Amino acid sequence: MFTVSSNMQLRKFIIRRMMQHQKPGSGSHWDRERDIKMGKDRLLEWEWLETLIADVPHVVIGGMAVNQFAPPRHTEDFDVAVAAKDLQIVVEKLKTAGFEVVGELGIGGFSLRSPKGVMIDVVLLDEEWADDAVQHPYRVGPFPVLDLPYLLLLKMKASRGVDIGDMQRMLHGASEEERNRVRKVFERYAPSDLEDLEQLILLSDQAW
């Protein structure tokens, strides 16, 4: 299992390689208005699921959240994050609706499957910033989505290849005002990651 330290080392290695080898303009073209609408429309297809847990504090994470801030990538799963005190409440609500628990997540939480095979991960969110993130989501219709600064914090911690790619894509689409919001949150909760954040911002600008 990767530790925070090993994840950081891997992230720094990947960023260093990207800084050395990424060619300017190597990213694909992004029609922001079209792609953000596409990400929103895909999320709204899950409104039936949101109604099941709407009365419990939670935020949408994973690919569905990333797609609200970056060119959409395909994802079949729906991931939500909740505080420890609400984890079992959400699981029981889903079980009442016909979902069954099919596994326990290594990061904390459970995977559930509906009778039709729809998968949802209910993830335990126990970060220092969890309360702020849940109380101040990014709203997409009825959905509380993990807002950009906190989504980047979550991706920075995981630091898999796909996470680094997601961060680069999201930062490319962010305005300078949004980037400054991200910087302030990192200054508060992850000051040691600010250097990597700035390098990813630079890489995101060079790629397109």
Side-chain angles (χ1 to χ4, degrees), residues 3 21-23 25 27 32 34 36 50 59 74 83 98 102 115 117 130 132-133 135 144 146 150 177 183 190 200 205:
T3 64
H21 298 290
Q22 179 172 285
K23 297 178 181 179
R32 179 182 174 89
R34 180 201 65 194
I36 291 298
E50 174 64 21
V59 283
H74 181 70
V102 295
D132 285 344
Q135 291 172 14
L146 188 62
Y150 303 104
E177 180 180 355
R183 290 182 176 107
L200 284 168
D205 286 339

Side-chain angles (χ1 to χ4, degrees), residues 52-70:
L52 300 177
I53 59 174
D55 60 341
V56 184
H58 67 281
V59 283
V60 177
I61 60 172
M64 286 291 178
V66 172
N67 286 352
Q68 308 312 307
F69 304 104

Side-chain angles (χ1 to χ4, degrees), residues 111 116 127 204:
S111 289
K116 294 184 178 181
E127 305 294 339
S204 74

Side-chain angles (χ1 to χ4, degrees), residues 143-164:
F143 294 91
V145 176
L146 188 62
D147 199 11
L148 180 62
Y150 303 104
L151 187 55
L152 286 164
L153 279 176
L154 201 61
K155 291 285 182 179
M156 189 74 80
K157 180 179 179 180
S159 288
R160 301 166 300 173
V162 66
D163 297 306
I164 293 171

Side-chain angles (χ1 to χ4, degrees), residues 34-107:
R34 180 201 65 194
D35 288 347
I36 291 298
K37 182 180 184 302
M38 186 183 301
K40 177 181 179 180
D41 289 345
R42 288 181 181 176
L43 179 58
L44 290 175
E45 293 174 2
W46 293 78
E47 189 168 356
W48 63 272
L49 182 55
E50 174 64 21
T51 61
L52 300 177
I53 59 174
D55 60 341
V56 184
H58 67 281
V59 283
V60 177
I61 60 172
M64 286 291 178
V66 172
N67 286 352
Q68 308 312 307
F69 304 104
R73 60 175 173 84
H74 181 70
T75 179
E76 293 288 349
D77 299 334
F78 191 88
D79 305 326
V80 299
V82 298
K85 63 182 177 62
D86 295 317
L87 178 61
Q88 286 300 328
I89 297 174
V90 171
V91 170
E92 290 303 318
K93 281 179 174 291
L94 293 172
K95 288 169 67 176
T96 299
F99 282 77
E100 64 172 337
V101 175
V102 295
E104 190 167 348
L105 302 173
I107 56 176

